[in-house]
Amino acid sequence: MMTSNSPPHLPEKTIAIDCMGGDIGPKVTISGINLYLHEQRKHGLGNDTNFVLCGDENAIITELKNFPDIAKISEVCHAEKIITNDTKPVAAVRMGRKSNIGVAVSAVAEGKADAVVSAGNTGAYMAISKVILKTISGIERPALAKTLPTIRGASLILDLGANTECSPQHLVQFALMGSAFASQVMEINSPSVGILNIGSEELKGNPTVQDALNLIKNIPEINLYGFVEGNDICSGTADVIVTDGFSGNIALKSIEGTAMLLKHAMKRSLSSTFIRKLGCLVAKKGFDDLKSFMDPRMYNGAPFLGLTKIAVKSHGGADAFSFSKAVGIAAKMVDSHLTDKTEEQLHLLDNK
Amino acid sequence: MMTSNSPPHLPEKTIAIDCMGGDIGPKVTISGINLYLHEQRKHGLGNDTNFVLCGDENAIITELKNFPDIAKISEVCHAEKIITNDTKPVAAVRMGRKSNIGVAVSAVAEGKADAVVSAGNTGAYMAISKVILKTISGIERPALAKTLPTIRGASLILDLGANTECSPQHLVQFALMGSAFASQVMEINSPSVGILNIGSEELKGNPTVQDALNLIKNIPEINLYGFVEGNDICSGTADVIVTDGFSGNIALKSIEGTAMLLKHAMKRSLSSTFIRKLGCLVAKKGFDDLKSFMDPRMYNGAPFLGLTKIAVKSHGGADAFSFSKAVGIAAKMVDSHLTDKTEEQLHLLDNK
């Protein structure tokens, strides 16, 4: 194990982890790393990955005693101040570089790590990342994005709440950032981009989405699908769905709430009699598949797009399995050289 | 059967039906009425209901030959012009009183009917209703509302797309209209009202929702819950959920899309092997319950709230079963004297 005074260590891939992450703490985050590595090793991978573990040094070192394999590939960086779920956003931002989130984000800024993962307060994490990591030139605001399962596979939706009010130009930037992610990380060739609206006809909606549509029409690098509606998110009509953070947050949470309701309805309908329970037992493997598909933990990990470096937000209430998925997204983003590609694409536009 | 020249007939309850409704036509709408009456008669009800059937007279009379019982309790009102799904909204509004929608709405304005149901173009129907029926004094804009199933029962959400941009005052009016519907039609005692936002804390969101929250705090007639998030819609956290038409439309369609995706996922997971299919066959009654719960037709019928009379929008692609549900909502709204009660509540506020 190395301490914070060791020289920066950067082998093939290093991920900085905010081990405190809201309230989940090193027990969950380090177990999450363990699950991530375990899953990678199943496929003969994961030997190229090191970690920078940030937060309360004593708590992290204590937890690492249970994971000697992780201790060997990790550097511990102590944070003087801890942002918890109770910390007010303003106070959290003020703690800045000295906080668990700040130390983890700084590790990336200083080149000690290639990506950062935190389950801490979204607003504080976004603000600290923006200040320390900066946005890519040409991008005014980072956006919170997420891949969601669809009937056709998976789509990316952004923004999910980082920017409650957006200009048409912001939506254009989201379209560029989303396209780069979909092609580099999701490996979709020429991903289609839809703008979320209340109708698919060009006359529908508000001036912001209409202006954004017209602006994107003039950018041949973006494969514009056109307007999409709420039901198109889960249909997979477009590979990337662009929206302001207010509508995006409401759409995402409406989807999550519907999944919860239907899980509840399934349980109610299918376990009310002995015969129904018996049928479900016979079809158990099918239900296991369905349960896994409907498990929100499978989709944990929302990247902040538009930053010069990679930052991934985990759900604040994540368990180890869920956190391992967020670590996986960060690792995949590093492997795909996403930020370089986004910059290249923006540079192409600038030179026109 | 009476013709358009018969004197107005108003027994206990008369519902005007736009029989053309987009493209579904008299075959669907009149079969829908038949299903509604059939369902009512199962409970010894429905004998108090008459209809005004509006649209192409010949097409309606031809269809009525299959339903002599309905012919007996119906007046046919011919419309010179028919708004189809291909009619541009501006052209549709111009057809006004002479259109299928206009004739049906006018039947209510003239006192021939107590409520109107149409599956025609939403924008045209809303515009024609607003001009002919007018809004209740104190209400600037009507809103499109819908009851949705939740874990706790059912909640009402409005607006769903009639008003893409809303002021705080509009949201307050929606809260009043929604509360009146929830107490009168859904029979919820002192319904709680939530304002849709991207977080439940009072500091979250945009100035519109924050101002609306502060305005509603000063109206003791509204049982304010506070801010709710997208996932709260299906949880049933509040009885009435108030939002602008842009976010509301996206939330509603995101919910519908998620239900479609999960239906698809269930089919895929549960029918991939013989054993799984067998299990489902054993639990068939449970799946029938679930299918019915997830059937969007069960929830068809969105009232325009805030008008002086009752108008209900059916889904444009409705089948007879689905249309019968929209007729049922209109009937229930007449029985509950909703518009009178909404006016009373607004009057109370005015006199403060």
Side-chain angles (χ1 to χ4, degrees):
Chain A
M1 191 197 322
M2 296 160 279
T3 72
S4 13
N5 297 325
S6 327
H9 181 88
L10 224 166
E12 285 196 76
K13 180 163 65 205
T14 302
I15 300 173
I17 305 285
D18 162 18
C19 288
M20 315 313 285
D23 288 332
I24 61 176
K27 207 166 184 70
V28 171
T29 50
I30 296 175
S31 297
I33 294 171
N34 187 51
L35 281 178
Y36 164 72
L37 290 171
H38 183 76
E39 193 59 34
Q40 289 293 302
R41 283 173 191 149
K42 270 194 206 165
H43 305 95
L45 302 166
N47 293 325
D48 60 345
T49 315
N50 288 32
F51 294 91
V52 179
L53 307 180
C54 311
D56 181 81
E57 199 167 29
N58 290 334
I60 295 171
I61 290 170
T62 304
E63 189 58 29
L64 278 177
K65 287 184 185 140
N66 300 321
F67 298 98
D69 283 359
I70 298 176
K72 272 186 231 155
I73 54 167
S74 297
E75 175 182 349
V76 177
C77 285
H78 181 65
E80 284 173 37
K81 295 183 175 182
I82 304 299
I83 298 172
T84 67
N85 281 343
D86 295 329
T87 313
K88 293 249 157 77
V90 179
V93 173
R94 223 174 271 148
M95 291 181 191
R97 287 176 200 266
K98 292 188 176 170
S99 70
N100 45 328
I101 296 177
V103 169
V105 172
S106 297
V108 180
E110 292 159 10
K112 269 189 195 175
D114 305 297
V116 49
V117 180
S118 172
N121 177 288
T122 311
Y125 185 21
M126 170 67 92
I128 291 171
S129 301
K130 199 180 162 191
V131 169
I132 299 181
L133 300 179
K134 310 271 185 300
T135 54
I136 293 172
S137 156
I139 300 286
E140 285 168 68
R141 299 178 182 188
L144 192 60
K146 196 158 184 184
T147 51
L148 289 177
T150 71
I151 290 179
R152 294 172 58 203
S155 293
L156 183 80
I157 176 167
L158 75 165
D159 175 51
L160 294 174
N163 310 284
T164 49
E165 280 168 271
C166 290
S167 69
Q169 286 74 18
H170 292 136
L171 297 184
V172 175
Q173 291 165 18
F174 296 170
L176 280 165
M177 285 143 60
S179 291
F181 186 94
S183 67
Q184 294 306 119
V185 183
M186 298 166 77
E187 295 170 21
I188 298 169
N189 187 25
S190 184
S192 58
V193 174
I195 301 172
L196 193 58
N197 197 357
I198 61 169
S200 51
E201 306 86 357
E202 296 209 356
L203 287 168
K204 287 268 178 154
N206 57 40
T208 308
V209 292
Q210 284 166 0
D211 291 351
L213 188 83
N214 289 325
L215 288 170
I216 297 179
K217 274 185 188 163
N218 294 320
I219 306 176
E221 284 77 10
I222 298 177
N223 175 12
L224 179 65
Y225 176 87
F227 286 140
V228 293
E229 301 184 60
N231 51 311
D232 289 307
I233 303 172
C234 287
S235 309
T237 306
D239 299 311
V240 177
I241 291 173
V242 162
T243 181
D244 66 272
F246 195 87
S247 304
N249 185 284
I250 285 171
L252 176 72
K253 289 184 182 158
S254 295
I255 290 170
E256 290 173 347
T258 312
M260 284 292 294
L261 170 65
L262 295 181
K263 206 171 150 184
H264 175 88
M266 276 176 72
K267 210 170 171 181
R268 191 180 50 196
S269 300
L270 297 172
S271 64
S272 59
T273 68
F274 172 75
I275 282 290
R276 294 178 188 193
K277 281 186 198 162
L278 182 72
C280 294
L281 202 65
V282 173
K284 189 179 175 299
K285 285 197 172 162
F287 282 101
D288 288 346
D289 284 0
L290 189 62
K291 211 171 157 183
S292 162
F293 180 78
M294 288 177 74
D295 185 352
R297 299 179 309 161
M298 290 293 292
Y299 313 103
N300 185 39
F304 288 140
L305 297 183
L307 295 168
T308 60
K309 306 282 176 179
I310 293 160
V312 172
K313 167 78 176 87
S314 158
H315 194 281
D319 63 6
F321 175 75
S322 183
F323 196 79
S324 76
K325 296 290 172 187
V327 175
I329 287 177
K332 206 165 178 201
M333 286 173 76
V334 176
D335 292 341
S336 74
H337 305 286
L338 175 70
T339 52
D340 299 345
K341 298 285 175 180
T342 311
E343 273 185 286
E344 268 173 35
Q345 202 161 25
L346 281 162
H347 192 65
L348 272 175
L349 286 184
D350 283 346
N351 290 348
K352 277 199 179 165
Chain B
M1 194 195 320
M2 298 159 278
T3 71
S4 10
N5 297 325
S6 325
H9 181 89
L10 225 165
E12 286 196 75
K13 180 163 64 203
T14 302
I15 299 173
I17 304 285
D18 161 18
C19 288
M20 314 313 284
D23 288 332
I24 61 175
K27 209 169 181 65
V28 171
T29 49
I30 295 175
S31 297
I33 294 171
N34 187 50
L35 281 179
Y36 165 72
L37 289 171
H38 183 76
E39 192 60 33
Q40 288 294 302
R41 282 172 191 151
K42 270 193 206 164
H43 306 95
L45 302 166
N47 292 326
D48 60 345
T49 316
N50 287 31
F51 294 91
V52 179
L53 307 180
C54 310
D56 180 81
E57 198 167 30
N58 290 334
I60 295 170
I61 290 171
T62 305
E63 189 57 30
L64 278 178
K65 286 183 186 142
N66 300 320
F67 298 99
D69 283 359
I70 297 176
K72 272 185 232 156
I73 53 167
S74 297
E75 175 182 350
V76 177
C77 285
H78 181 65
E80 285 173 36
K81 297 183 175 181
I82 303 297
I83 297 172
T84 68
N85 281 344
D86 295 331
T87 313
K88 293 250 159 75
V90 180
V93 173
R94 222 174 272 148
M95 291 181 192
R97 287 174 201 268
K98 292 188 176 170
S99 69
N100 44 329
I101 296 177
V103 170
V105 172
S106 297
V108 179
E110 292 159 10
K112 269 190 196 174
D114 306 296
V116 49
V117 180
S118 172
N121 178 288
T122 312
Y125 185 21
M126 170 67 94
I128 292 171
S129 301
K130 199 180 163 191
V131 169
I132 300 181
L133 299 179
K134 310 271 185 299
T135 53
I136 292 172
S137 155
I139 300 286
E140 285 168 67
R141 302 177 181 186
L144 192 60
K146 197 158 184 186
T147 50
L148 289 176
T150 72
I151 291 180
R152 293 173 57 205
S155 292
L156 183 80
I157 175 167
L158 75 164
D159 174 54
L160 295 174
N163 310 285
T164 50
E165 281 168 272
C166 290
S167 69
Q169 286 74 17
H170 292 137
L171 297 184
V172 175
Q173 290 165 17
F174 296 170
L176 280 166
M177 285 143 61
S179 290
F181 186 94
S183 67
Q184 294 306 118
V185 184
M186 299 165 76
E187 295 169 24
I188 298 169
N189 187 26
S190 183
S192 58
V193 175
I195 301 172
L196 193 58
N197 196 357
I198 61 169
S200 52
E201 306 85 358
E202 295 211 355
L203 288 167
K204 288 268 178 152
N206 56 42
T208 307
V209 292
Q210 283 166 0
D211 290 351
L213 188 82
N214 289 326
L215 287 170
I216 296 178
K217 274 186 190 164
N218 293 320
I219 306 176
E221 283 76 10
I222 299 178
N223 175 11
L224 179 65
Y225 176 87
F227 287 141
V228 293
E229 302 185 60
N231 51 312
D232 289 308
I233 303 171
C234 287
S235 308
T237 307
D239 299 311
V240 177
I241 291 174
V242 163
T243 181
D244 66 273
F246 195 86
S247 304
N249 185 284
I250 285 171
L252 176 72
K253 289 184 182 157
S254 295
I255 290 169
E256 291 173 348
T258 312
M260 284 293 293
L261 170 66
L262 295 181
K263 206 171 151 184
H264 175 88
M266 274 177 73
K267 210 169 171 180
R268 190 179 52 196
S269 301
L270 297 173
S271 63
S272 59
T273 68
F274 173 74
I275 282 290
R276 293 179 189 193
K277 281 185 199 162
L278 182 71
C280 294
L281 201 65
V282 173
K284 188 177 176 300
K285 286 199 171 161
F287 282 101
D288 289 346
D289 284 358
L290 189 61
K291 212 170 156 184
S292 162
F293 180 78
M294 288 177 75
D295 185 352
R297 300 179 308 161
M298 289 293 291
Y299 312 103
N300 185 39
F304 288 141
L305 297 184
L307 295 168
T308 60
K309 304 282 176 179
I310 293 159
V312 172
K313 167 78 176 87
S314 159
H315 193 280
D319 63 6
F321 175 75
S322 183
F323 196 79
S324 76
K325 295 290 172 188
V327 175
I329 287 178
K332 206 165 176 198
M333 285 172 76
V334 176
D335 292 340
S336 74
H337 306 285
L338 176 70
T339 52
D340 299 344
K341 297 285 174 181
T342 311
E343 273 184 286
E344 267 173 37
Q345 200 160 25
L346 280 162
H347 193 65
L348 272 176
L349 287 183
D350 285 346
N351 290 348
K352 277 196 180 167

